[in-house]
Amino acid sequence: MKNAAPQKVTTPNIGISVRSSYGPMTDPRVGAQHIIDRAAAAEASNLDSLFLGDHHATPTPYYQNIPMMGRLLANWSGPKCGVLLLLPLWHPVLVAEMLSTLASLTSSTFVLQAGIGYGEKQFSALSADYEQRGERFEQSLNILHALWSGETISNPLWEIERAVISPTPSEPIATWIGATAPIALKRVARMGHSWLADPGLTKPNLLKKRDLYLAACEAEGTEYPSQMAVRRDVHVADSDKEAAAVRAELEAKQYRGIDPDALVIGTVGQVEAHFRDLGEIGFTDIITRHLHPDQASAIRSIERLGHVRERFNAG
């Protein structure tokens, strides 16, 4: 089946993945409130989507996404919401039940951002087989969608015997698969889900990975994807001076090992131009994680991101 050429999006959806990790603090309620306040800022800014990440067995606070998302959905009305799950670490029947429950709490489209995970430490902490993570990832995804469709499932790898869940989602739960390596991009195409691009990819590498993914879709005979998402770590600054200061500080700290060229740091107009460029190359959804470690500065960045979205809507 021949794929159509990528369509220019130009005005992609803009969402947020709220930071869930914080340094040591005397009261863990403070970090939890930071997450709630950032989500509230995203709601007030009319952003298109709200997500939380996934990580385990960390020495510093990392707030778990399933209970936290339940709290945030009480005040979220945007078009999309969801969580990232490193699927080989989670039993698929439990995942199917929990996400179906979360989806029942919202009228927004619920999205599973699915990752394979890396680093043996968190796998060993949860008694998960690191070497089998690829196979367990694929089978988990297949099990999830079967359970959400009301099927009764047995699976020897996961030691599941005639499992069924209820309630099932009122509407299908969308799946975006995080992938960077060629074999992972081929997996996304073969399984027929949407691609979520890594925040560390500079534009040349992003284009290269996009082309590999689309070629894999064509080779698999799958239709050109209606959605392609990318995550970007951002700071929307009030001025060029502020943007330069934030960039210098983050580059000095070698922020998360990400190439500085992949970070989006600039004024409202500069961020708008960057995001329009991502739309031009086919990305329908941009999921932002806000760079500034200071809570008040991060909130202001989220508010200015709302101005970027307003400019998109104004044409």
Side-chain angles (χ1 to χ4, degrees), residues 208-220:
K208 179 181 178 181
K209 301 297 183 181
R210 182 207 64 178
D211 291 346
L212 285 172
Y213 169 55
L214 295 179
C217 287
E218 185 165 355
E220 293 291 337

Side-chain angles (χ1 to χ4, degrees), residues 27-281:
D27 187 347
R29 295 183 184 90
V30 174
Q33 190 62 51
H34 283 181
I35 295 171
I36 293 168
D37 291 345
R38 291 191 187 201
E43 167 76 15
S45 298
N46 294 315
L47 299 188
D48 296 298
S49 57
L50 173 71
F51 292 96
L52 292 171
D54 188 28
H55 202 62
H56 303 274
T58 62
T60 55
Y62 194 101
Y63 294 84
Q64 291 302 302
N65 55 15
I66 299 295
M68 184 61 74
M69 182 54 72
R71 168 63 178 84
L72 299 183
L73 288 180
N75 302 106
W76 176 253
S77 62
K80 296 175 186 173
C81 60
V83 293
L84 167 70
L85 291 179
L86 306 176
L87 288 182
L89 299 175
W90 295 81
H91 194 284
V93 176
L94 183 60
V95 170
E97 292 176 329
M98 290 192 299
L99 296 197
S100 186
T101 297
L102 285 176
S104 72
L105 297 175
T106 178
S107 58
S108 307
T109 297
F110 201 88
V111 179
L112 165 62
Q113 295 182 349
I116 194 171
Y118 63 91
E120 295 188 38
K121 180 181 177 181
Q122 61 180 334
F123 277 76
S124 60
L126 295 172
S127 301
D129 191 315
Y130 190 71
E131 298 302 322
Q132 282 190 317
R133 66 192 187 281
E135 184 179 4
R136 293 173 80 86
F137 175 86
E138 288 197 29
Q139 292 197 26
S140 178
L141 263 185
N142 291 332
I143 292 166
L144 290 175
H145 285 276
L147 289 171
W148 287 330
S149 297
E151 298 179 30
T152 299
I153 293 299
S154 297
N155 183 279
L157 180 65
W158 282 99
E159 300 181 355
I160 298 170
E161 185 66 32
R162 295 192 58 76
V164 64
I165 70 161
S166 185
T168 55
S170 300
E171 59 186 36
I173 291 177
T175 301
W176 299 351
I177 300 179
T180 301
I183 190 172
L185 292 167
K186 290 178 181 178
R187 179 190 293 121
V188 181
R190 174 166 45 82
M191 299 191 77
H193 297 295
S194 298
W195 175 41
L196 173 62
D198 188 87
L201 294 173
T202 60
K203 184 178 178 181
N205 286 328
L206 190 61
L207 287 168
K208 179 181 178 181
K209 301 297 183 181
R210 182 207 64 178
D211 291 346
L212 285 172
Y213 169 55
L214 295 179
C217 287
E218 185 165 355
E220 293 291 337
T222 54
E223 295 285 354
Y224 177 74
S226 61
Q227 291 182 314
M228 285 199 308
V230 59
R231 214 195 73 204
R232 279 293 184 246
D233 286 17
V234 311
H235 180 72
V236 190
D238 183 52
S239 64
D240 289 335
K241 181 178 180 181
E242 180 191 342
V246 170
R247 180 173 290 279
E249 180 179 357
L250 291 169
E251 289 184 3
K253 293 179 178 179
Q254 297 182 321
Y255 171 80
R256 301 177 77 96
I258 292 178
D259 189 321
D261 288 342
L263 302 178
V264 181
I265 303 171
T267 62
V268 167
Q270 291 164 345
V271 172
E272 178 194 6
H274 187 103
F275 285 1
R276 285 194 184 277
D277 186 51
L278 290 172
E280 288 279 350
I281 63 176

